[in-house]
Amino acid sequence: IIKQLSAWEILDSRGRPTVKARCTLNSGAVGVVSVPSGASTGAAEAHELRDNDPARYRGFGCRKAVANINSEINAALVDRSIDDQHELDALLLALDATTNKSRLGANAILAVSLAFSRAVALEQGRPLYQHFATMQGLELSTLPRPTINLFSGGKHAGGQVDIQDVLLVPASAQTMDEALAVTFAVYQSAAELTLKKYGTRSLTADEGGLAPPFPNTETMLADAVEAIELAGYRAGHDVALAIDVASSHFYQDGVYNLDHEQLTSSALIERLASWLRRYPLVSIEDGLAEDDWDNWPALYTRISPQALVLGDDFLCTNPARIQRAIANQAANALLLKVNQIGTLSEAARACQLARLAQWRVTISARSGETEDDWLADLAVGWAGDQIKIGSITHGERLAKYNRLLEIENETHLPLAAWPGTSLRGI
Ligand code: PGA
Ligand code: ZN
């Protein structure tokens, strides 16, 4: 039984407001969470409610979302006996009564959904990751393998290169502890290399990635390989690479504007395939734009099984889009961001659909994050194959990495295998 819901504004890692909520149960258990916010967002995401008052935080204020929790949502849910997460989320959806959560705000709804789950876990005296596992009917099995932002471009940096992320995949690491130590070594080498090459060490990207002025994407990939080798690792064996092309953000009127060239969908697919031949890439996220549905099956055929075909903006953690992608054989991996859909139950359904199709699942943070660490518990509880949090330099990222280390210390779970033998085709 919920005794009280309350909320307030806090600031995220970009200094913009976001929502923090507290759920107090009659038993006295209190769950407090905050929610993240994206910058490189998908068009099909649930609606994040902002105040749009240009005089305050340039319109990014969240007072309306906060007020919705303190008044309407609290009034509707207080003193109600709610059996489980599913029931709570169904009540929230019915109360909002829009298809994209635009009335109450996905930021308000998700904050309540998550605060309730944390309060229930505390009431039951169980770690949050265990509570999340039970919600999915899963036993704890593995820790997610981290995929860690090394270089940034696109909307997360100054747009000096078009693609958004080059990530490290510590492929041979056996533990979280080892994966992070390997990452540190490569990150330091990359910082030294880019300082020498570009005369600048810019840690300015939103997720803490290095963002020097690479002349083009291929240099960015070659520098990543060099950094791996300078740190003493074998590229493609010990440490592989993943990219987030985030191609919706350089796609206009059927044309991809990449590296000062104009590419058709099939030309972009060929470009990605050529990168696969030349660089140790094992995962390509948003290789095509979110509404380029006709060409995703060709992308899948061309780059699988060598690399994961990972959908972020393309799928938006949206069960209907995931079902369509499965039916069209358009991808084989889901990037799961709970705030793209707005409740834990709907995100759980998205995760189940991906699993049923034998897809891989990457649990992901957003570029605007808070110091909350529930994402680490979610990735462990829902048996995420990978986790994507950003680089290992900013506090809001480290909160999650450090929580993963804590969970590893508590559970001694092994890291999820890479590459996965369970993945169809790999
Ligand atoms: P975000 O994007 O800025 O919307 O959080 C991160 C990503 O594209 O993976
Ligand atoms: Zn992405």
Side-chain angles (χ1 to χ4, degrees):
I1 298 178
I2 294 179
K3 187 171 173 200
Q4 197 189 15
L5 291 165
S6 57
W8 60 101
E9 267 184 342
I10 62 164
L11 302 186
D12 73 11
S13 53
R14 281 189 277 254
R16 294 177 185 165
T18 187
V19 179
K20 189 157 185 173
R22 182 193 298 116
C23 173
T24 307
L25 302 179
N26 266 358
S27 61
V30 181
V32 182
V33 300
S34 53
V35 297
S37 172
S40 156
T41 49
E45 293 194 22
H47 183 80
E48 192 176 76
L49 190 62
R50 298 282 183 181
D51 298 341
N52 294 324
D53 168 9
R56 188 168 179 275
Y57 288 109
R58 295 193 172 181
F60 285 109
C62 289
R63 283 180 170 171
K64 287 182 189 163
V66 161
N68 287 342
I69 295 176
N70 285 329
S71 55
E72 190 176 341
I73 299 177
N74 180 58
L77 298 182
V78 90
D79 288 335
R80 278 185 94 131
S81 162
I82 294 168
D83 284 342
D84 58 18
Q85 190 71 41
H86 192 72
E87 188 179 341
L88 174 87
D89 291 341
L91 287 168
L92 288 167
L93 291 186
L95 190 63
D96 175 74
T98 66
T99 50
N100 64 350
K101 304 182 180 64
S102 55
R103 199 177 72 77
L104 296 171
N107 39 358
I109 290 172
L110 181 62
V112 172
S113 183
L114 281 167
F116 177 78
S117 71
R118 188 168 258 164
V120 170
L122 285 167
E123 183 173 67
Q124 296 175 350
R126 297 195 302 168
L128 189 56
Y129 56 83
Q130 183 65 62
H131 178 60
F132 284 142
T134 307
M135 190 186 295
Q136 287 275 32
L138 294 171
E139 299 282 329
L140 295 174
S141 56
T142 51
L143 298 175
R145 188 166 293 269
T147 57
I148 303 136
N149 184 222
L150 178 69
F151 293 143
S152 296
K155 288 208 158 197
H156 290 176
Q160 83 292 20
V161 278
D162 300 306
I163 79 162
Q164 187 175 292
D165 300 313
V166 174
L167 304 111
L168 300 173
V169 184
S172 65
Q174 299 289 317
T175 61
M176 188 65 67
D177 178 64
E178 186 187 345
L180 295 178
V182 168
T183 300
F184 177 85
V186 178
Y187 192 92
Q188 296 306 316
S189 296
E192 286 154 14
L193 174 73
T194 52
L195 175 63
K196 211 167 75 197
K197 272 187 83 168
Y198 306 104
T200 161
R201 179 167 173 261
S202 34
L203 294 173
T204 51
D206 286 357
E207 299 187 4
L210 300 161
F214 300 108
N216 54 43
T217 309
E218 293 179 9
T219 312
M220 191 181 189
L221 289 166
D223 286 351
V225 171
E226 198 176 335
I228 293 169
E229 286 166 355
L230 282 171
Y233 298 106
R234 294 168 303 164
H237 295 272
D238 303 317
V239 185
L241 297 176
I243 50 173
D244 183 0
V245 185
S247 62
S248 302
H249 304 290
F250 54 83
Y251 178 70
Q252 217 180 0
D253 304 325
V255 172
Y256 291 91
N257 297 289
L258 176 68
D259 289 335
H260 311 292
E261 284 179 74
Q262 298 211 313
L263 303 178
T264 61
S265 303
S266 39
L268 178 55
I269 293 171
E270 284 316 307
R271 182 64 54 88
L272 297 173
S274 80
W275 293 346
L276 275 188
R277 283 194 298 275
R278 294 165 50 203
Y279 306 104
L281 286 168
V282 292
S283 174
I284 296 183
E285 178 179 335
D286 284 344
L288 291 175
E290 60 200 349
D291 54 0
D292 197 1
W293 279 94
D294 287 350
N295 293 295
W296 273 83
L299 172 72
Y300 173 79
T301 313
R302 194 77 178 86
I303 72 173
S304 167
Q306 196 180 340
L308 293 181
V309 185
L310 179 60
D312 171 18
D313 294 348
F314 176 52
L315 301 169
C316 279
T317 316
N318 182 312
R321 291 180 76 92
I322 294 165
Q323 252 160 343
R324 185 174 166 195
I326 293 167
N328 291 353
Q329 297 212 341
N332 61 8
L334 167 68
L335 194 89
L336 186 144
K337 292 168 167 166
V338 185
N339 80 329
Q340 281 180 329
I341 187 74
T343 61
L344 265 177
S345 305
E346 290 164 288
R349 169 104 185 104
C351 191
Q352 283 155 11
L353 284 171
R355 290 255 178 260
L356 280 172
Q358 291 178 283
W359 284 17
R360 290 225 136 195
V361 177
T362 296
I363 309 282
S364 175
R366 300 305 304 245
S367 54
E369 269 293 339
T370 76
E371 64 277 21
D372 204 336
D373 57 8
W374 55 263
L375 189 82
D377 289 77
L378 190 84
V380 174
W382 288 9
D385 301 290
Q386 285 89 238
I387 187 166
K388 180 183 175 192
I389 302 172
S391 90
I392 51 164
T393 56
H394 291 184
E396 77 282 2
R397 316 280 146 197
L398 294 169
K400 283 88 168 159
Y401 287 118
N402 288 339
R403 176 65 181 149
L404 287 169
L405 289 170
E406 185 176 358
I407 297 173
E408 175 165 71
N409 180 268
E410 262 171 40
T411 63
H412 302 289
L413 290 169
L415 270 196
W418 184 285
T421 43
S422 63
L423 180 71
R424 191 171 43 202
I426 283 200

